[in-house]
Amino acid sequence: MKEYAIEKHLVQKTQECGGICLKFISPGIAGVPDRIVILPGGKIGFAELKAQGKKPRLVQRAILRVLYRLGCRVAAIDNKKSAEGFIRRLAK
């Protein structure tokens, strides 16, 4: 499955929960996650999207680790099921 199909699914599932899924671009900082997921109640998470079976690059893993250590919810997502799981966990 292609990355764009998984990303589209994440956006759709986020909207179904009443949230928004913003494209995250940060000029000057390499490796930021692809999407910021914001759900009702101020629940925020960061998602790095990959084609099925692919893993984040080293710089992407490093940024995800920094965000996680700062207390953020983060996920590397490479299939529709993991996208749905991330939304479910974030909504709790």
Side-chain angles (χ1 to χ4, degrees):
M1 180 170 295
K2 303 258 185 203
E3 181 177 326
Y4 72 85
I6 297 166
E7 188 166 10
K8 184 177 177 181
H9 188 71
L10 177 69
V11 171
Q12 177 187 346
K13 291 299 177 183
T14 301
Q15 291 171 345
E16 287 175 9
C17 290
I20 57 174
C21 190
L22 304 172
K23 186 76 174 165
F24 185 17
I25 300 170
S26 183
I29 301 177
V32 296
D34 295 310
R35 292 284 179 161
I36 302 172
V37 178
I38 305 171
L39 296 179
K43 297 169 181 170
I44 300 172
F46 296 88
E48 176 60 42
L49 286 296
K50 290 293 176 188
Q52 195 160 10
K54 300 291 182 181
K55 301 293 181 197
R57 297 185 327 261
L58 186 61
V59 66
Q60 292 170 323
R61 288 193 307 261
I63 294 293
L64 288 173
R65 200 168 22 256
V66 167
L67 292 169
Y68 178 78
R69 287 180 179 158
L70 288 171
C72 300
R73 295 294 216 29
V74 299
I77 298 170
D78 74 342
N79 61 62
K80 289 182 178 182
K81 189 174 179 178
S82 63
E84 292 169 9
F86 178 62
I87 296 298
R88 214 174 20 257
R89 287 188 307 276
L90 190 59
K92 288 184 181 181

